[in-house]
Amino acid sequence: MMSVPLYEAKAELFRLLGHPVRIRVLELLQDGPMPVRELLAAIEVEPTGLSQHLAVLRRSSMVTAHRDGSTVVYALAGGDVADLLRAARKLLTQKLTGQNELLTELLDTETGVR
Amino acid sequence: MMSVPLYEAKAELFRLLGHPVRIRVLELLQDGPMPVRELLAAIEVEPTGLSQHLAVLRRSSMVTAHRDGSTVVYALAGGDVADLLRAARKLLTQKLTGQNELLTELLDTETGVR
DNA sequence: TTAGGAATTGCGAATTTACGCAATTAGCGG
DNA sequence: CCGCTAATTGCGTAAATTCGCAATTCCTAA
């Protein structure tokens, strides 16, 4: 089995998350499964574009899809995607609130970050 | 102040993390500040390439740099980048084991792949 | 001041990714 | 079967990333 270095996989994961539409989809799906139609209504994107981004998320096994009649319903596929999004939000709020650099710097230098 | 939607910022963050070299740098810096020279020795990349990736991390305030004599030392800049990397590792581990389960299940039940 | 290493920056070429239109598949109702 | 909505796929082009070479900056030692 050709082993892919973990950091390669990690980079790939982040790269796949690196698009606004895909982030929106994942965030919306955190509240439970949702048909494409609703995703389409909630996100500012054209049907074709949404499909393509959903395909990316599907191929990387971050979401699952199943038909229900004439509509297709998407859902988060297991793994803790939520943790990632949460960590991202945490980091961003820190950065956006910005000027508490003092605090983070203190915490950082204190421990020597081991 | 022109507010950037949070999901845009989040996507941007992930996009910036989405490169093997940048991931490696962040992981290495988790053990403490490190001069470029050492990063260069530890990562398989050319000086010019490393500089460019370091520039990306600098511009997005994920790392800081300061000169120490003739060398430049990089360090993680505050925020909980570590949390992100940890969450990513967790998700990847789940995913990889999950793929194995799926694979064995496929081999056990049917040979058909449609 | 000059030589040299360390690190960065400025392009240009090559690769990758995103977007939109047209065409296609799939289910539902008349 | 036919028409219609939902969703996806196939391309071609536009836009963004990446990478390496050459040139530049900054520091140190002679």
Side-chain angles (χ1 to χ4, degrees):
Chain A
M1 168 165 65
M2 189 56 197
S3 71
V4 176
L6 184 56
Y7 60 86
E8 290 270 5
K10 217 177 282 187
E12 162 106 347
L13 171 61
F14 285 127
R15 190 169 53 77
L16 293 175
L17 289 172
H19 191 287
V21 170
R22 297 199 282 268
I23 290 291
R24 288 289 286 135
V25 167
L26 293 177
E27 285 182 336
L28 287 168
L29 291 185
Q30 285 189 66
D31 297 334
M34 192 175 284
V36 173
R37 182 172 19 83
E38 289 186 23
L39 291 173
L40 201 45
I43 308 176
E44 201 156 326
V45 64
E46 317 210 8
T48 181
L50 180 58
S51 271
Q52 286 165 346
H53 288 297
L54 288 174
V56 171
L57 295 175
R58 251 186 292 122
R59 279 196 294 271
S60 53
S61 300
M62 286 194 265
V63 304
T64 60
H66 75 273
R67 292 202 82 102
D68 182 18
S70 70
T71 77
V72 176
V73 178
Y74 278 82
L76 288 189
D80 287 317
V81 179
D83 282 356
L84 264 181
L85 298 177
R86 195 164 23 246
R89 172 170 332 185
K90 185 171 159 194
L91 193 151
L92 284 175
T93 44
Q94 285 179 359
K95 186 198 280 188
L96 292 180
T97 1
Q99 301 72 11
N100 59 1
E101 293 166 16
L102 291 175
L103 180 57
T104 54
E105 186 175 348
L106 269 179
L107 295 174
D108 206 22
T109 54
E110 175 80 31
T111 60
V113 187
R114 196 167 41 90
Chain B
M1 169 164 50
M2 187 54 197
S3 71
V4 176
L6 184 57
Y7 61 87
E8 290 270 5
K10 218 177 281 188
E12 162 106 346
L13 171 62
F14 285 127
R15 189 169 54 79
L16 294 175
L17 288 173
H19 191 288
V21 171
R22 297 198 282 268
I23 291 290
R24 288 289 286 133
V25 167
L26 293 176
E27 285 182 336
L28 287 168
L29 291 185
Q30 286 189 60
D31 297 333
M34 193 175 286
V36 173
R37 183 171 18 84
E38 289 187 24
L39 291 172
L40 201 45
I43 309 175
E44 202 156 326
V45 64
E46 317 210 8
T48 181
L50 180 57
S51 271
Q52 286 165 345
H53 289 297
L54 288 174
V56 170
L57 295 175
R58 251 186 292 122
R59 280 195 293 271
S60 53
S61 300
M62 286 193 266
V63 303
T64 60
H66 75 273
R67 292 200 83 102
D68 182 19
S70 69
T71 77
V72 177
V73 178
Y74 278 84
L76 289 188
D80 287 318
V81 179
D83 282 356
L84 265 181
L85 298 177
R86 196 164 23 247
R89 173 169 325 176
K90 185 172 160 194
L91 193 150
L92 285 174
T93 316
Q94 291 178 353
K95 182 169 159 192
L96 291 179
T97 57
Q99 283 179 353
N100 285 343
E101 291 172 4
L102 182 61
L103 180 59
T104 53
E105 184 177 348
L106 274 176
L107 293 176
D108 280 348
T109 56
E110 304 181 15
T111 57
V113 192
R114 239 183 357 124

